[in-house]
């Protein structure tokens, strides 16, 4: 699956207009998941074949303070609504990856309450008698990953939703969890679901160790994300050249999840404006790895992280009821992304390609992307080819020129 994966990432609580901080617990189930119906054709027409969901499970506020891993958050709907969503996605060839928050639970989770009551529980209680809060977040309680009950909890949750038709898991803050825990869990789950996909979130650290020691398939490539936006913003393509050389080394034997935006960072169009965001997207789709598009980046959405409890609101806005209600001013970016995704589909060898920097200066850079030797014989028949990418920030422009004559160009 991963050799052809291109994901559209969505943060459902925000995208579907669910209340995040208000007291909503007495309102009953709201079947907001079904509001995604009009967006599924939009995602398929963009060229994606998967949706990477943010938190969907019962929680108290932002979704990462889980209170029940086996129930869809009532602000989003019911488990039956999710079954409907799986069927609708499957009908369009869209796989589903779910966000698994298994480093911690919410302070209102029954396991947290049991721990505070002195009952057996895998939730860690600190010396002060309160839950051990993850990174100072008072709404999150850390799990003890040496406790077999934590392993059983995670395996049960993973298998429950895999049985309902998902393709795999994004593992939230995977870098905070011992890699041997991931190895034990994924080995158990793959015994029943051998094709399940596991992507670890790692912001900084040893990507390859997390993947290999944790028996994962991929990890988030934050170093490349930083290299792309920072080099374009500062007009210093030497930084991008360094990031490309590092990414090539990482990609020699691994497929990393690559992106220019997600639910935790400033919108790429706010950081770089339209031209920079369009160039960033072209860079993304020229490189080895598994690309993902954060909801709205393909429409040049704006948004910057703020401060306090509402810090993420601007980067996680509600979607309109249907794509037809989107502003007319973003569709040019959608068509640009469509062209890039289509080129990626025509050249599947890119997922495992190698990168060589050819020429670099502050505002000009060229690099060549070539298929790995033997790609034509790889499972999935990825094929062979080469691509030359030229960036000129003085124009501004970027050209992707494939050796078979296929060309994608953006000129601001």
């Amino acid at each position: 699956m991963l050799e052809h994966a291109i994901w559209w990432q969505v943060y459902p609580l925000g995208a579907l207009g669910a209340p995040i901080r208000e007291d909503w617990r007495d309102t009953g189930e709201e079947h907001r998941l079904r509001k995604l119906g009009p967006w599924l054709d939009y995602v398929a027409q963009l060229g994606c074949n998967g949706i990477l969901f943010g938190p969907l499970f019962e929680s108290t506020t932002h979704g990462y303070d889980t209170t029940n891993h086996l129930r869809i958050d009532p602000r989003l709907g019911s488990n039956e609504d999710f079954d409907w969503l799986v069927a609708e996605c499957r009908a369009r060839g869209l796989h589903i990856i779910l966000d698994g928050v298994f480093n911690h639970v919410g302070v209102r989770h029954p396991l947290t309450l049991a721990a505070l009551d002195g009952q057996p529980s895998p939730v860690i209680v600190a010396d002060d008698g309160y839950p051990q809060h993850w990174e100072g977040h008072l709404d999150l309680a850390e799990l003890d990953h040496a406790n077999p009950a934590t392993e059983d909890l995670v395996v049960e949750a993973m298998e429950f939703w895999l049985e309902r038709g998902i393709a795999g898991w994004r593992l939230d803050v995977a870098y905070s969890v011992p890699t041997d825990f991931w190895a034990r869990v994924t080995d158990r789950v793959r015994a029943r679901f051998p094709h399940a996909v596991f992507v670890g979130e790692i912001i900084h650290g040893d990507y390859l160790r997390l993947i290999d020691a944790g028996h994962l398939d991929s990890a988030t490539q934050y170093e490349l994300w930083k290299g792309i936006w920072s080099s374009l913003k500062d007009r210093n393509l030497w930084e991008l050249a360094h990031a490309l050389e590092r990414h090539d080394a990482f990609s020699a034997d691994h497929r990393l999840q690559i992106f220019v935006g997600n639910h935790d960072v400033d919108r790429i169009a706010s950081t770089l404006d339209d031209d920079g965001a369009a160039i960033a997207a072209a860079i993304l789709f020229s490189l080895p790895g598994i690309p993902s598009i954060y909801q709205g980046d393909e429409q040049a959405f704006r948004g910057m992280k703020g401060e306090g409890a509402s810090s993420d609101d601007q980067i996680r806005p509600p979607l309109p009821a249907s794509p037809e209600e989107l502003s007319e001013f973003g569709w040019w970016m959608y068509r640009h992304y469509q062209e890039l995704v289509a080129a990626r589909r025509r050249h599947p060898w890119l997922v495992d390609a190698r990168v060589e920097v050819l020429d670099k200066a502050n505002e000009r850079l060229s690099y060549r992307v070539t298929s790995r030797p033997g790609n034509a014989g790889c499972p999935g028949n990825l094929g062979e080819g080469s691509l030359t990418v030229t960036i000129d920030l003085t124009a501004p422009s970027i050209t992707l020129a494939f050796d078979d004559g296929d060309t994608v160009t953006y000129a601001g």
Side-chain angles (χ1 to χ4, degrees), residues 107 111-119 121 123-133 138 140-142:
V107 292
L111 290 176
T112 307
L113 301 179
L116 295 177
D117 195 37
Q119 301 175 35
S121 171
V123 169
I124 302 172
V125 177
D127 291 340
D128 60 6
Y130 290 96
Q132 183 163 306
H133 301 296
L138 300 182
L140 306 179
E142 284 198 52

Side-chain angles (χ1 to χ4, degrees), residues 266-298:
D266 294 336
R267 289 280 182 175
I268 192 69
S270 289
T271 301
L272 300 177
D273 294 327
D274 286 347
D275 286 338
I279 291 173
I283 295 170
L284 174 72
F285 279 93
S286 74
L287 296 176
I290 307 159
S292 64
I293 306 166
Y294 179 47
Q295 63 173 74
D297 280 354
E298 78 285 351

Side-chain angles (χ1 to χ4, degrees), residues 233 265-272 301-307 310-316:
K233 183 177 178 64
V265 302
D266 294 336
R267 289 280 182 175
I268 192 69
S270 289
T271 301
L272 300 177
F301 276 19
R302 261 54 172 186
M304 303 288 284
K305 286 178 70 71
E307 300 290 338
S310 60
S311 62
D312 292 322
D313 288 3
Q314 293 302 309
I315 59 175
R316 303 174 179 178

Side-chain angles (χ1 to χ4, degrees), residues 231-232 234-237 275-276 279 361-365 390-398 410-412:
S231 64
L232 296 179
D234 294 340
R235 304 179 75 84
N236 176 18
L237 294 179
D275 286 338
I279 291 173
N362 281 359
E363 296 184 296
R364 288 185 59 86
L365 177 70
T390 305
I391 306 169
D392 183 356
L393 297 185
T394 65
S397 67
I398 184 169
Y410 173 81

Side-chain angles (χ1 to χ4, degrees), residues 80-237:
E80 290 69 32
D81 291 326
F82 182 77
D83 292 340
W84 168 87
L85 180 62
V86 170
E88 291 295 310
C89 285
R90 183 173 292 145
R92 294 164 173 82
L94 298 172
H95 300 279
I96 291 177
I97 304 291
L98 292 187
D99 204 343
V101 186
F102 302 127
N103 172 68
H104 49 262
V105 294
V107 292
R108 296 185 183 179
H109 193 289
L111 290 176
T112 307
L113 301 179
L116 295 177
D117 195 37
Q119 301 175 35
S121 171
V123 169
I124 302 172
V125 177
D127 291 340
D128 60 6
Y130 290 96
Q132 183 163 306
H133 301 296
W134 180 70
E135 293 191 349
H137 297 283
L138 300 182
D139 54 347
L140 306 179
E142 284 198 52
L143 289 166
D144 178 5
H145 294 90
N147 188 326
T150 301
E151 184 179 323
D152 291 342
L153 169 75
V154 174
V155 170
E156 180 186 24
M158 287 183 171
E159 293 185 341
F160 181 85
W161 296 102
L162 284 163
E163 286 175 350
R164 297 184 97 103
I166 71 168
W169 292 90
R170 171 198 179 268
L171 305 175
D172 183 60
V173 297
Y175 57 89
S176 288
V177 175
T179 53
D180 64 318
F181 175 84
W182 292 130
R184 294 193 305 272
V185 164
T186 56
D187 287 353
R188 285 179 59 182
V189 173
R190 285 197 180 101
R192 288 190 58 198
F193 300 94
H195 301 297
V197 171
F198 299 96
V199 181
E201 182 194 19
I202 180 169
I203 298 175
H204 47 71
D206 191 338
Y207 300 151
L208 306 190
R209 181 180 180 278
L210 175 66
I211 295 172
D212 293 339
H215 299 182
L216 308 183
D217 298 288
S218 184
T220 53
Q221 224 298 32
Y222 267 91
E223 186 175 314
L224 179 66
W225 162 78
K226 167 62 166 58
I228 292 174
W229 73 257
S230 181
S231 64
L232 296 179
K233 183 177 178 64
D234 294 340
R235 304 179 75 84
N236 176 18
L237 294 179

